[in-house]
Amino acid sequence: MEKIYEKLQDKIIVKDVNDFNIKHILECGQIFRYKREKTLEQKDVVYAYKVFSLDKTALIIQTNCNAKIITKDVDYFINFFDLNTNYSQIKQQLQNDKVLKEAINYGYGIRILKQNFFEMLISFIISANNRIPRIQKSIEMICEKFGTKENDYYAFPTLNQLLLANESDFRECGVGFRDKYLVSSIRMFKNFDLSFFLAQSEQTKQQILQTFCGVGPKVADCILLFGSYDMNVFPVDTWIKKVYNTFYNTTNIPSSNILKIREFFYNTFSNLSGYAQQYLFYYKRELDINKKN
DNA sequence: AACCAGGCTCTCC
DNA sequence: GGAGAGCATGGT
């Protein structure tokens, strides 16, 4: 298959915008550290975003015919944006499901980002029973407080940097009752063997993650999906619950039974569950948000 | 002013 | 092992 991108010295040109839309990618719920930039003067520019991962950053300028990823860390972001995976093929396989076909039509440019495991662990502990804008703000404050300063932004803190943080430090970043979960989980991560963990079975990985304080089934699935590119999980949150109730509730599962809903979707989408979840999440959330305004 | 948010922990049965 | 209360904080 032909590559969808061209690698240059300090940027990547993505040539196929049918499988790459930076708004879809960043606003489908998988990442918290990004900012929309004011659109530049050129009239063909559709979106411009800055994205941050660990200590790295990129500026993405999307037009109607291509997307430019401008960064010092070209190879890192080729992997980060999963540019060597064929999303046309994935989308085609998922089109059998009628609802998903609609969702893909809406968020056609979604790709699953390959993010850092530790950053996802911390981020999704904060996400529990929280609102997305406030999650973003808390994470940003934690970066400013404990992360290394780069040029015009702060890196996500390393494990050693976060080991210096106590509960009131986190409380000042607006994480609320999750402060103690963070302190506990950060200490536990010090003795965490990631490569051993990744070699375990799906079920074992889910169980191990739930031994971290503040990590239940949903957060565990998010960490696996976004932090280890594991497509065999289907995180069920409030938005997916709405998806289930509006589009799929033809079965006899009580709409409050998260684990049963999760099982239903995994049985439906199998090893493409992670992709499917993101199309559905983005579709439902955008529709509801736009309805309000 | 209650109610809710990318749920989880803890208690009680 | 399943159901239910309580949880920080801020927006609507």
Side-chain angles (χ1 to χ4, degrees), chain A residues 113-293:
Chain A
L113 299 172
K114 292 189 176 175
Q115 301 187 73
N116 176 262
F117 192 87
F118 180 63
E119 185 170 344
M120 293 301 99
L121 172 69
I122 302 304
S123 299
F124 279 95
I125 287 174
I126 296 169
S127 78
N129 198 29
N130 208 341
R131 284 176 200 267
I132 289 177
R134 206 160 72 92
I135 301 166
Q136 293 175 323
K137 191 164 190 189
S138 288
I139 294 173
E140 189 178 348
M141 290 174 79
I142 290 171
C143 291
E144 287 174 11
K145 201 163 181 180
F146 297 100
T148 304
K149 187 170 175 24
E150 306 293 330
N151 284 333
D152 54 348
Y153 65 97
Y154 287 85
F156 192 84
T158 63
L159 171 61
N160 283 330
Q161 286 172 325
L162 280 186
L163 280 167
L164 302 174
N166 59 35
E167 294 182 6
S168 61
D169 288 323
F170 287 126
R171 195 60 82 93
E172 285 170 20
C173 297
V175 304
F177 62 90
R178 308 163 193 83
D179 56 353
K180 47 191 176 301
Y181 302 161
L182 291 171
V183 170
S184 163
S185 290
I186 287 161
R187 286 188 191 147
M188 201 186 292
F189 194 75
K190 195 166 59 163
N191 302 312
F192 188 75
D193 185 341
L194 184 56
S195 51
F196 173 81
F197 168 82
L198 292 175
Q200 306 306 305
S201 73
E202 205 61 49
Q203 206 187 355
T204 306
K205 286 191 287 186
Q206 287 168 331
Q207 284 170 357
I208 292 175
L209 275 178
Q210 288 180 58
T211 64
F212 284 92
C213 202
V215 179
K218 187 271 174 184
V219 170
D221 284 351
C222 284
I223 297 167
L224 285 168
L225 172 53
F226 306 129
S228 71
Y229 202 77
D230 182 348
M231 296 302 132
N232 290 292
V233 292
F234 197 99
V236 176
D237 64 357
T238 51
W239 293 104
I240 293 296
K241 249 190 287 181
K242 289 175 190 172
V243 169
Y244 179 77
N245 290 328
T246 31
F247 302 119
Y248 291 93
N249 198 2
T250 54
T251 60
N252 50 6
I253 302 174
S255 61
S256 59
N257 196 329
I258 306 299
L259 294 179
K260 282 281 163 62
I261 295 175
R262 177 204 208 193
E263 193 181 343
F264 165 79
F265 279 120
Y266 179 68
N267 289 337
T268 307
F269 300 118
S270 177
N271 65 330
L272 299 177
S273 289
Y275 301 109
Q277 195 269 5
Q278 286 292 275
Y279 292 114
L280 291 173
F281 177 97
Y282 182 70
Y283 179 53
K284 184 60 179 161
R285 181 162 181 265
E286 288 289 309
L287 285 186
D288 284 10
I289 287 175
N290 292 336
K291 206 187 299 173
K292 274 186 190 173
N293 302 336

Side-chain angles (χ1 to χ4, degrees), chain A residues 77-95:
Chain A
F77 282 100
I78 287 174
N79 178 62
F80 183 79
F81 282 108
D82 196 19
L83 292 183
N84 289 313
T85 298
N86 184 344
Y87 277 73
S88 294
Q89 193 182 340
I90 292 164
K91 288 187 283 187
Q92 194 155 23
Q93 286 178 263
L94 288 170
Q95 299 261 345

